[in-house]
Amino acid sequence: MGKKILVIEDEASVRRLVEFVFSKNGFEVIGAANGQEGLELARQHYPNLIILDLRLPIMDGVEVGKALKNDEKLRNIPVILVTASTDNIEQKVKESLVDGYFLKPFDYQELLKKVMQLLR
Amino acid sequence: MLKLSIRTKIIIAFFILIILSVSFLLISFPSLSKINSLSFAAIPLSREINILQDYDESVKYLANKIELYFNIRSEEMKGEVLAAVKQVSGLATQHKHEKALSSLAGMFSVVLELNNAVTELMGYMDKGESAYTINLQIVTVNKLFEAFDRMQNNLQEARLIQLQKNVHEQTEITQRILDRFLMIEIWIIAIGFLSSIVLSRIITRNLLKLRQGTQEIAAGNFSARIDISSNDEIEELAQSFNTMADHLRKTTVSKDYMDNVIRTMAETLIVVNPDLTISSVNQATCGLLGYSEDELMGKPVKMLFSTEGTLMESAEFSELIKDAKLMNCEINYRAKSGRRIPIILSTSAMKDKDNNTVRIICTATDIIERKIAEEKLKEVAELKSKLTSMVSHELRTPLAAIKTGISIVLDGLTGGINAEQKEVLDIVKTNVDRLARLINDVLDFHKLESKKMQLKMEENDIVQVIREIYDMMNPLAEQKGLTFTLEVPALLPKAVFDKDRIIQVLSNLVNNALKFTQKGSITITADKELQGIHVAVVDTGVGIKQEDISRLFHSFEQLETPDNTKIEGTGLGLAICNEIIEQHGGDIWVESEIGKGSTFHFIIPFKRELA
């Protein structure tokens, strides 16, 4: 049985490739193009893990992360932050309460490894 | 005009008067001695006249007594006659032998003869001689009386005439002297009067000229000249005035010049009294601060400054002004409107001979433009920083897609690929990784340089870090056929540093060593030194030219290798290392010899000195 991964990423190409990688590895992947949509889909589908971009329209990664971790039902879902910006990254990671982060361009195998580790 | 000094002129006039007086004396002298001799000559004359009168009286007295005796024949009368005779003859005998009276000797003889005749007559009468004889004798006596009378009269008259003549002559001479004296007196007065007029005219005319000239000079016309050529003290005085006017003109010219310089200078200038009140200001000051000169005179200079927003206390600032110790100090003016104007202020002390401060000169340049420029620079730096992070972000996102995409294909997730496809995609992947590193380097360097990098300073074990690096890099060294060794003691004291950054430094240095070493070895050494941990990366590579060493740690400097091979990189690696070590308070340097290799050293201090 496949585990569900929610990819919240506004950049369609990146989202598509991540979806591709995870579906090839036996995951069920749901994509969201902005923070708000991502949060709604998370509440709808209860994914096993969320990959969250930092810079997003409507709600950014930090806000989404905070919302997820403050939601009784969602707070146990591991979240991995993916970002292209290194500005204040440590602080943002702390603030968004996520479980790990990757700097773009990341090595997808490393990401996969991390996801596996979190889902074990 | 006489070219003589006033003193000489006065002395000459005085001498003329003295000569006149002396010559008057000389002219009058013979006349005066004549008067003198005339007076002397009058003395015996008057005595002779006196004696003549005495004798006249005595003889008349005798004649009287004789006549009385003839009338009253008594012994008593006779005695009186004889006494009168005796008196007269006694005197006559005495006078006859007096030399001074020799001119009267004839008269004395007559008197004596008369006395004898009277005595004889008296004898005749006593003896009772005949009337005839007595009459005869009376006749003789009478004749002698008459003779005496004549003689006496003649003599007295002669003497009187002589005396009269004498007095007349004296009067005449005295009159003459008086006349001459009067005339000379008139001359003296006239000459004195004339010379004083001439002298005073000479003096006053030049004095008037002098006054006119000095008035003109006093009125400020310093090019006025007093033209006096009297060759005296006044001319000297006039020349002194000319010289003075000359000096005044020069000093006024230079003062005007300096005034102009001060007035037109762009810098503001404030002259301050030792009690810190304003003595004077230039136009630039008034213009900048909006005060008029009158408004500032005597006011405390403090009102013009504001220490707000500077590192200085107001009281400290006043002290520094008082001691004239400010040099290129950044401070603010406070304008009349209350606006603060940033300036650079310098002070200097004006001292007198005794080294006392008499004035403090404050010059200041308005640096508002510079401040604006600085603000602009700050804005530009911020823009650069925003741009850098934005660009890097915008580059990273597509790069993420490219890298993931290629990796998926290479890893066969999209199906099998042939060897040629794999080779091409490998090249693409290598370059994508390189591009990613490049972006990271640029960002890191930017953060380090703008001090935005927050170091995570923690106690760390350098030995552990070196081992991590070794594990990471050894496969690459093996791949190149190089020996990679560690000469590190088992235990080193812990130091405080940012582990990730020191790993970055070490991996940069080892990467460089790998890049530039074709054969031989790479060694990392570490030991404890006085100031900190000393780490060195030693290689047996191509080495670095001495002249390039100074440029080595600069940003964007990529050196040419001895064989001119292009080495990939941004030229930021060593600049980043330098920044990181510097921010740790450490030191980084290199020793190298061409063909023999390079050694990169760095020291991490045990305790970072906090700024």
Side-chain angles (χ1 to χ4, degrees):
Chain A
M1 56 138 261
K3 289 190 170 174
K4 258 191 243 173
I5 289 184
L6 173 61
V7 180
I8 310 172
E9 163 69 76
D10 64 326
E11 193 70 37
S13 57
V14 177
R15 191 175 68 238
R16 172 75 191 96
L17 285 168
V18 174
E19 277 174 17
F20 184 86
V21 167
F22 282 96
S23 52
K24 278 286 173 182
N25 281 278
F27 291 93
E28 190 188 324
V29 185
I30 309 154
N34 65 58
Q36 202 178 21
E37 190 194 349
L39 202 59
E40 275 164 20
L41 286 174
R43 280 178 185 136
Q44 213 178 309
H45 294 278
Y46 293 105
N48 298 89
L49 187 137
I50 297 168
I51 292 173
L52 176 65
D53 190 16
L54 183 65
R55 216 178 60 165
L56 287 168
I58 308 177
M59 270 178 97
D60 74 9
V62 176
E63 284 174 296
V64 174
K66 268 193 223 168
L68 287 170
K69 292 295 175 183
N70 286 324
D71 191 310
E72 286 282 331
K73 291 172 186 168
L74 302 175
R75 68 159 47 135
N76 290 323
I77 301 171
V79 181
I80 296 172
L81 197 69
V82 178
T83 174
S85 164
T86 54
D87 294 346
N88 292 326
I89 187 64
E90 309 277 335
Q91 201 197 330
K92 280 172 181 166
V93 168
K94 219 182 261 179
E95 239 180 277
S96 58
L97 308 163
V98 297
D99 302 276
Y101 82 95
F102 278 82
L103 190 64
K104 288 177 183 174
F106 50 83
D107 189 323
Y108 82 88
Q109 292 198 358
E110 296 281 322
L111 180 66
L112 205 59
K113 230 195 266 175
K114 181 81 183 173
V115 168
M116 294 302 199
Q117 189 195 320
L118 285 169
L119 288 177
R120 207 181 298 145
Chain B
M1 184 176 301
L2 275 168
K3 303 259 175 183
L4 293 170
S5 73
I6 296 173
R7 213 174 78 142
T8 319
K9 282 171 192 166
I10 291 170
I11 288 169
I12 287 171
F14 182 69
F15 266 104
I16 290 170
L17 292 179
I18 285 177
I19 287 163
L20 277 169
S21 316
V22 168
S23 57
F24 162 69
L25 274 179
L26 287 175
I27 292 165
S28 312
F29 194 74
S31 313
L32 285 172
S33 58
K34 187 86 176 280
I35 290 174
N36 198 34
S37 61
L38 282 170
S39 315
F40 274 116
I43 292 167
L45 272 176
S46 0
R47 197 188 165 206
E48 277 175 11
I49 289 166
N50 277 341
I51 287 169
L52 282 168
Q53 276 170 350
D54 280 354
Y55 275 88
D56 190 37
E57 269 172 33
S58 303
V59 168
K60 274 179 180 150
Y61 178 75
L62 181 65
N64 198 27
K65 290 292 170 201
I66 292 168
E67 224 176 292
L68 277 172
Y69 181 65
F70 277 121
N71 293 333
I72 310 153
R73 286 265 196 124
S74 66
E75 273 307 307
E76 195 189 347
M77 285 323 278
K78 185 186 165 188
E80 274 182 23
V81 171
L82 284 176
V85 170
K86 207 178 174 182
Q87 194 198 340
V88 173
S89 64
L91 260 174
T93 315
Q94 194 191 322
H95 282 155
K96 200 180 171 180
H97 301 292
E98 211 174 302
K99 241 188 179 162
L101 299 173
S102 56
S103 55
L104 302 178
M107 187 194 75
F108 295 140
S109 302
V110 172
V111 170
L112 285 173
E113 222 176 300
L114 181 65
N115 280 351
N116 288 338
V118 170
T119 313
E120 214 174 320
L121 176 65
M122 293 302 277
Y124 287 162
M125 282 170 77
D126 281 348
K127 282 175 202 160
E129 289 283 346
S130 61
Y132 178 73
T133 311
I134 288 169
N135 279 338
L136 208 64
Q137 194 56 31
I138 286 170
V139 171
T140 308
V141 168
N142 276 337
K143 270 183 186 166
L144 277 168
F145 266 120
E146 277 165 25
F148 168 80
D149 245 11
R150 254 193 334 271
M151 193 169 268
Q152 194 267 344
N153 274 339
N154 286 343
L155 279 169
Q156 192 164 336
E157 205 174 337
R159 294 297 177 273
L160 277 172
I161 288 167
Q162 219 176 326
L163 197 63
Q164 220 171 359
K165 225 175 103 189
N166 186 315
V167 168
H168 184 74
E169 214 172 321
Q170 278 193 53
T171 317
E172 233 178 36
I173 291 167
T174 309
Q175 189 59 50
R176 223 170 37 235
I177 289 170
L178 264 175
D179 288 351
R180 207 174 288 149
F181 175 76
L182 212 77
M183 196 183 68
I184 285 169
E185 196 68 357
I186 286 166
W187 269 110
I188 287 171
I189 287 166
I191 288 170
F193 186 68
L194 270 172
S195 63
S196 63
I197 282 177
V198 170
L199 261 174
S200 63
R201 258 192 67 91
I202 291 169
I203 294 165
T204 51
R205 192 183 53 189
N206 287 333
L207 278 175
L208 278 173
K209 256 189 183 176
L210 197 64
R211 192 182 67 173
Q212 217 174 5
T214 51
Q215 273 171 348
E216 220 175 313
I217 292 168
N221 179 12
F222 299 132
S223 50
R225 287 293 169 271
I226 305 165
D227 182 26
I228 294 172
S229 50
S230 54
N231 207 20
D232 59 10
E233 290 89 340
I234 293 177
E235 187 185 329
E236 276 170 30
L237 192 61
Q239 273 163 2
S240 294
F241 264 107
N242 287 341
T243 318
M244 185 189 78
D246 233 29
H247 283 309
L248 277 173
R249 191 172 55 87
K250 277 180 199 155
T251 46
T252 346
V253 165
S254 61
K255 188 181 169 293
D256 285 351
Y257 178 76
M258 280 317 293
D259 281 349
N260 264 326
V261 169
I262 288 164
R263 204 177 59 238
T264 50
M265 69 190 256
E267 283 205 316
T268 58
L269 182 134
I270 305 170
V271 182
V272 180
N273 296 315
D275 64 351
L276 296 184
T277 56
I278 297 165
S279 167
S280 66
V281 294
N282 72 343
Q283 258 182 9
T285 311
C286 294
L288 185 67
L289 300 182
Y291 284 105
S292 72
E293 209 175 323
D294 293 338
E295 280 178 301
L296 292 176
M297 287 304 185
K299 297 280 165 59
V301 74
K302 241 175 113 175
M303 68 184 261
L304 294 183
F305 294 103
S306 163
T307 50
E308 222 177 301
T310 68
L311 297 169
M312 212 177 286
E313 295 279 320
S314 180
E316 183 194 357
F317 174 69
S318 297
E319 274 307 303
L320 286 168
I321 284 217
K322 198 165 196 163
D323 299 341
K325 274 184 182 157
L326 290 165
M327 195 44 71
N328 295 329
C329 163
E330 276 199 33
I331 199 120
N332 298 304
Y333 266 144
R334 191 188 289 129
K336 196 178 182 183
S337 62
R339 186 170 68 107
R340 277 188 291 138
I341 302 161
I343 51 163
I344 283 190
L345 177 70
S346 292
T347 50
S348 53
M350 194 196 281
K351 304 219 164 175
D352 63 10
K353 282 179 209 155
D354 306 323
N355 210 31
N356 296 318
T357 301
V358 286
R359 292 283 188 279
I360 301 136
I361 313 296
C362 304
T363 49
T365 316
D366 166 12
I367 52 164
I368 200 152
E369 296 295 328
R370 208 184 80 183
K371 285 275 168 188
I372 289 168
E374 274 173 12
E375 284 297 315
K376 275 197 180 140
L377 267 180
K378 226 185 257 176
E379 275 171 33
V380 167
E382 256 165 48
L383 195 68
K384 182 181 139 199
S385 145
K386 271 185 196 160
L387 197 72
T388 313
S389 64
M390 194 270 281
V391 164
S392 67
H393 180 267
E394 293 306 319
L395 285 172
R396 271 179 170 144
T397 305
L399 217 52
I402 295 166
K403 188 174 169 171
T404 312
I406 288 163
S407 301
I408 288 167
V409 175
L410 264 174
D411 293 353
L413 260 70
T414 54
I417 52 167
N418 64 33
E420 282 178 337
Q421 286 168 331
K422 189 181 184 302
E423 194 194 339
V424 172
L425 287 177
D426 271 334
I427 293 167
V428 175
K429 191 170 179 261
T430 310
N431 279 286
V432 168
D433 287 341
R434 192 176 146 193
L435 191 56
R437 275 202 310 277
L438 240 146
I439 291 166
N440 285 341
D441 274 2
V442 169
L443 260 174
D444 278 351
F445 181 69
H446 168 69
K447 278 186 186 169
L448 284 163
E449 194 198 28
S450 57
K451 314 286 180 221
K452 274 183 182 164
M453 177 86 74
Q454 284 283 323
L455 295 179
K456 281 184 284 179
M457 298 302 280
E458 283 160 0
E459 262 201 358
N460 283 302
D461 180 7
I462 191 76
V463 179
Q464 198 195 322
V465 172
I466 292 168
R467 286 192 198 288
E468 271 177 44
I469 291 285
Y470 180 81
D471 291 343
M472 199 159 57
M473 302 300 230
N474 196 36
L476 289 167
E478 276 177 359
Q479 224 173 54
K480 250 189 135 175
L482 300 170
T483 337
F484 190 11
T485 51
L486 299 182
E487 284 174 21
V488 179
L491 218 73
L492 272 174
K494 288 192 173 183
V496 176
F497 58 89
D498 183 330
K499 191 179 167 187
D500 289 344
R501 293 299 148 200
I502 295 300
I503 285 176
Q504 197 179 352
V505 171
L506 259 175
S507 65
N508 241 317
L509 295 179
V510 174
N511 252 320
N512 279 348
L514 283 168
K515 252 191 254 176
F516 295 105
T517 309
Q518 300 310 320
K519 55 178 183 181
S521 64
I522 293 163
T523 313
I524 302 179
T525 69
D527 53 78
K528 183 194 152 198
E529 281 191 5
L530 200 66
Q531 61 269 55
I533 305 282
H534 174 206
V535 181
V537 177
V538 190
D539 69 44
T540 55
V542 291
I544 305 154
K545 283 185 235 163
Q546 283 301 308
E547 61 261 39
D548 289 340
I549 283 177
S550 60
R551 294 194 292 141
L552 208 56
F553 295 102
H554 291 178
S555 54
F556 303 107
E557 288 283 359
Q558 249 196 329
L559 305 182
E560 274 179 6
T561 56
D563 54 359
N564 281 331
T565 44
K566 179 78 183 76
I567 300 296
E568 65 157 65
T570 46
L572 281 172
L574 286 175
I576 288 169
C577 291
N578 189 32
E579 285 285 344
I580 290 170
I581 295 297
E582 225 170 66
Q583 287 190 26
H584 275 82
D587 211 355
I588 186 164
W589 73 99
V590 67
E591 292 169 329
S592 185
E593 205 177 317
I594 288 285
K596 288 199 173 170
S598 311
T599 304
F600 282 82
H601 303 265
F602 66 86
I603 284 178
I604 307 166
F606 289 124
K607 266 189 182 169
R608 187 164 67 127
E609 280 169 40
L610 292 166

